[in-house]
Amino acid sequence: MNTGVLQRRLNREIRGQVWFDAFNRGRYSTDASIYQIMPVGVTVPADEEDATAALAIAGEEGVPVLPRGAGTSQNGQAIGEALILDCTRHLNNVIDFDAGARTVCVQPGIVLEQLNRYLKPHGLFYPVDVSTANRATIGGMTGNNSCGARSIRYGNMVHNVRSVEALLAGGVKAHFRRVDSGNGDMPPELVENLLDLGDSEADEIRRRFPKLLRRVGGYNIDELTLDRPNLARLLVGSEGTLGFFRRIHLDLQPIPRHKVLGICHFARFYDAMDSVRHIVELNPAAVELMDRTMIELAREIPLFAPTVARFVKGEPDALLLVEFAGDDHGGQLNSLRQLVELMESQSENQRQPSSVVEAIDPSFQQAVWEVRASGLNIMMSMKGDAKPVSFIEDCAVALEDLAEYTARLSEVFARHGATGTFYAHASVGCLHVRPVLDMKQAGGAKAMRSIAEEALEMVREYKGSHSGEHGDGISRSEFHEPMLGRRMVENFEQVKRWFDPDNVFNPGKIVNPHRFDDRSIMRYPPDYQCEPVETALDWSAWQGYDRALEMCNNNGACRKAASCVLPSALRARRFISPGAAPTVCGWP
């Protein structure tokens, strides 16, 4: 791999920025996962023609490519030994919008919050409401098959993408959409191969794929078993491994006129999990979990403490945030009353004296949701070397199994000397579950392997999903075979070969993966050390300046408009990637 030739060609033939220095490569070597892999180089295409040229040059020089959005992925999808194409700075426009049809076409680098600001005057929004909405890009969300808090109402990304205009290996342009009589803009041989796969593997797919909303593992080849499949749905969740998304066509929804929120308090975590299956019968738009750890950590953060004091009463073991939304305010208030009645019907040992805090005022609701949306940052504010680690954090099970599953999972953590944190999407049986481990030590990776294998055995027992929201990346691709079977993995490999025969696009994800516990590709490899720095300020509350820097979890919160502690040269959006603080710390 001659990176010098690649760099010279890119500098000569594209108009966007090209970075091959260690500092800038280091900033793109991490995402919100525990992994770190130095890219070959980074380019910031000035427009679609630039992106096309960069892909062609990389292909001619035998260098893999990795399209990247905000870098908020939690399983290593956005990192690799490849040429990074940062789509966020220039490829972030609305291309076409039809308010009457409720559709929009966008470039991959547009941020969800930016898109929704554009749509709001028309009474519309894009309903896949991820917690990282103020930096997550539509391209990254499409590649990840993102979901969000209100998927019980609106579904996942795969249910809200109409079509995808992609650039495939060899420079082939294709517009993937529903198969009908006009398929001229999709490669005919590829389409035929995919439809044949759907026919031949339909029984195996039905047998192996979990019957749950929250299933994002592997490629969405279940779509190929339908009479008129939408081939764009095969690209959704493909994590940049099948092609480059030039333009993405989306379905939109009307903004609900009214919302109300009930914050249900539980004295026991188990009872909160057992109540979810009853609460969803009230037709809520969202049911989100906050556990005791998240509540206590949020109370210690000055930004959130006043809000937490307002909506948390007493010392609950868990909260469920239950939202009702629609155009009939009276109907939403009635649903809230039904929620209160449901909680009051629980036995006395299953609830706090003040079991439901009602939030009718929109500003109060917004404040509560801001705490929940900051769940990852709140959890990662835990001081010390042991942190909540993401690797089984979005397994999903049926609601009738949720209470038992979480209780057994806590027992698994305890057997390995760990505790766990739980929060997020209770409504669909998909909780963000993170055991607290010290990944600086070899024992952390060893415990991670054991916990993962035991947890996934339980998920398989419950016929659940091992990948329910955050994708596969490095953390979960290895587990497709034990969860879905060798034959299904071979189907995924065949799809990859048809789309990308030379393995150009984001290799090592979904198929032919890394080992997920390989410490050599982790942010804390065996030889990790943070260079000591003399400081004028007292960092003892964080156990030192190095540990304060290590609290950066790389989920990209510094990309939003609000100020942060990084130097101004780094804080400028055009220079921000989620790796900025780790670069200051000396990673790599």
Side-chain angles (χ1 to χ4, degrees):
M1 185 186 298
N2 191 334
T3 59
V5 172
L6 175 65
Q7 181 180 4
R8 287 192 294 273
R9 287 195 62 188
L10 288 169
N11 277 319
R12 185 172 62 247
E13 299 178 38
I14 74 169
R15 291 176 292 108
Q17 291 158 302
V18 177
W19 297 319
F20 276 70
D21 60 287
F23 178 80
N24 280 299
R25 289 165 57 223
R27 291 191 298 113
Y28 288 84
S29 68
T30 57
D31 55 9
S33 72
I34 60 175
Y35 303 103
Q36 179 169 20
I37 302 175
M38 281 290 277
V40 172
V42 179
T43 183
V44 185
D47 51 29
E48 292 179 0
E49 289 70 27
D50 246 12
T52 301
L55 288 166
I57 294 167
E60 291 164 9
E61 299 302 327
V63 176
V65 293
L66 201 171
R68 176 163 164 145
T72 59
S73 50
Q74 296 188 33
N75 293 293
Q77 300 97 308
I79 61 174
E81 191 176 358
L83 176 68
I84 302 288
L85 271 66
D86 186 338
C87 301
T88 60
R89 186 173 182 191
H90 301 297
L91 301 178
N92 56 10
N93 299 300
V94 173
I95 301 299
D96 187 49
F97 170 57
D98 187 331
R102 296 180 183 171
T103 61
V104 69
C105 173
V106 299
Q107 292 179 309
I110 193 169
V111 172
L112 174 60
E113 191 173 87
Q114 174 190 353
L115 173 61
N116 280 333
R117 281 199 300 268
Y118 175 92
L119 297 171
K120 187 175 181 179
H122 305 277
L124 299 171
F125 79 123
Y126 190 64
V128 183
D129 58 335
V130 295
S131 62
T132 52
N134 56 17
R135 65 263 196 202
T137 65
I138 294 297
M141 292 169 61
T142 303
N144 193 62
N145 195 5
S146 297
C147 303
R150 294 166 180 85
S151 64
I152 189 175
R153 172 72 57 87
Y154 298 108
N156 308 342
M157 200 74 189
V158 72
H159 306 112
N160 293 279
V161 171
R162 292 179 66 85
S163 64
V164 174
E165 297 180 51
L167 192 65
L168 305 183
V172 175
K173 291 183 178 179
H175 189 170
F176 291 93
R177 55 191 179 183
R178 190 170 300 282
V179 172
D180 53 30
S181 57
N183 300 324
D185 47 6
M186 292 187 284
E189 184 177 355
L190 176 60
V191 173
E192 183 179 356
N193 287 337
L194 293 172
L195 296 180
D196 286 346
L197 179 70
D199 288 340
S200 64
E201 294 298 304
D203 290 341
E204 182 72 2
I205 291 169
R206 282 190 284 268
R207 187 169 74 89
R208 288 290 191 175
F209 275 32
K211 307 299 189 294
L212 295 171
L213 174 66
R214 290 305 194 92
R215 179 201 56 76
V216 305
Y219 297 124
N220 293 318
I221 60 175
D222 55 324
E223 180 71 18
L224 302 177
T225 66
L226 304 180
D227 290 337
R228 293 178 58 246
N230 184 340
L231 297 188
R233 292 185 170 186
L234 187 64
L235 273 67
V236 176
S238 61
E239 301 184 357
T241 64
L242 301 183
F244 175 76
F245 301 165
R246 296 172 55 244
R247 299 178 178 183
I248 304 161
H249 299 251
L250 307 171
D251 287 321
L252 307 174
Q253 295 290 338
I255 299 173
R257 294 180 182 174
H258 303 285
K259 296 179 181 179
V260 297
L261 180 65
I263 300 103
C264 304
H265 291 55
F266 295 88
R268 298 193 309 170
F269 182 88
Y270 184 96
D271 297 324
M273 296 297 91
D274 191 50
S275 295
V276 176
R277 57 197 172 111
H278 304 297
I279 292 173
V280 297
E281 294 178 0
L282 301 177
N283 193 31
V287 184
E288 294 286 289
L289 167 70
M290 292 177 60
D291 74 350
R292 178 186 288 272
T293 301
M294 184 173 175
I295 296 166
E296 291 176 349
L297 288 171
R299 280 172 166 161
E300 297 173 5
I301 299 174
L303 178 65
F304 300 127
T307 301
V308 174
R310 186 177 176 191
F311 76 82
V312 179
K313 305 303 179 185
E315 300 296 330
D317 204 34
L319 303 174
L320 290 177
L321 314 183
V322 183
E323 179 184 273
F324 300 99
D327 293 339
D328 179 6
H329 194 217
Q332 310 316 316
L333 293 173
N334 183 60
S335 295
L336 186 56
R337 284 193 293 271
Q338 290 179 319
L339 176 67
V340 172
E341 292 169 0
L342 176 63
M343 291 299 98
E344 289 176 347
S345 71
Q346 306 296 310
S347 61
E348 286 298 322
N349 67 335
Q350 290 184 346
R351 62 183 176 91
Q352 296 285 336
S354 177
S355 64
V356 181
V357 171
E358 300 181 24
I360 310 299
D361 177 63
S363 62
F364 183 22
Q365 295 177 44
Q366 180 63 30
V368 174
W369 282 118
E370 285 176 1
V371 176
R372 161 58 196 95
S374 300
L376 176 57
N377 289 334
I378 291 171
M379 289 300 190
M380 297 303 287
S381 70
M382 196 176 289
K383 295 182 175 67
D385 289 339
K387 302 285 187 184
V389 181
S390 170
F391 60 98
I392 56 166
E393 86 292 343
D394 65 347
C395 296
V397 299
L399 294 185
E400 57 266 27
D401 299 319
L402 188 59
E404 183 179 282
Y405 165 69
T406 52
R408 292 176 62 188
L409 199 54
S410 293
E411 293 172 1
V412 170
F413 297 161
R415 283 200 296 273
H416 294 279
T419 58
T421 64
F422 298 78
Y423 68 102
H425 315 308
S427 61
V428 286
C430 179
L431 302 181
H432 295 338
V433 180
R434 291 174 172 238
V436 179
L437 302 172
D438 181 0
M439 299 306 294
K440 291 183 178 179
Q441 307 300 321
K446 183 178 179 181
M448 187 174 75
R449 163 72 63 180
S450 298
I451 290 171
E453 291 178 349
E454 291 183 48
L456 293 181
E457 178 61 36
M458 273 196 294
V459 172
R460 188 164 51 242
E461 176 186 333
Y462 291 121
K463 300 186 183 336
S465 168
H466 69 296
S467 186
E469 177 174 35
H470 292 153
D472 300 333
I474 298 170
S475 300
R476 280 191 279 273
S477 295
E478 174 187 339
F479 294 101
H480 291 332
E481 185 167 344
M483 298 302 293
L484 300 174
R486 180 62 205 165
R487 182 171 166 182
M488 200 56 57
V489 170
E490 290 173 353
N491 289 330
F492 296 158
E493 292 170 348
Q494 181 62 74
V495 169
K496 171 71 169 174
R497 285 192 296 270
W498 283 332
F499 273 89
D500 184 22
D502 296 323
N503 201 24
V504 169
F505 288 103
N506 200 9
K509 317 296 162 48
I510 300 183
V511 300
N512 304 313
H514 300 275
R515 283 181 61 86
F516 95 114
D517 57 348
D518 181 354
R519 292 189 72 205
S520 70
I521 59 171
M522 289 186 183
R523 197 179 306 173
Y524 301 124
D527 59 349
Y528 169 80
Q529 61 178 2
C530 199
E531 296 297 328
V533 177
E534 280 199 35
T535 64
L537 301 177
D538 180 9
W539 295 90
S540 59
W542 286 267
Q543 303 177 20
Y545 181 63
D546 57 341
R547 284 180 170 81
L549 285 171
E550 290 167 356
M551 290 179 71
C552 171
N553 58 65
N554 282 9
N555 83 334
C558 51
R559 295 186 65 114
K560 62 186 180 181
S563 61
C564 65
V565 298
L566 293 174
S568 58
L570 284 175
R571 193 164 63 241
R573 176 173 172 80
R574 61 179 178 169
F575 288 115
I576 282 291
S577 77
T583 302
V584 176
C585 192
W587 299 333

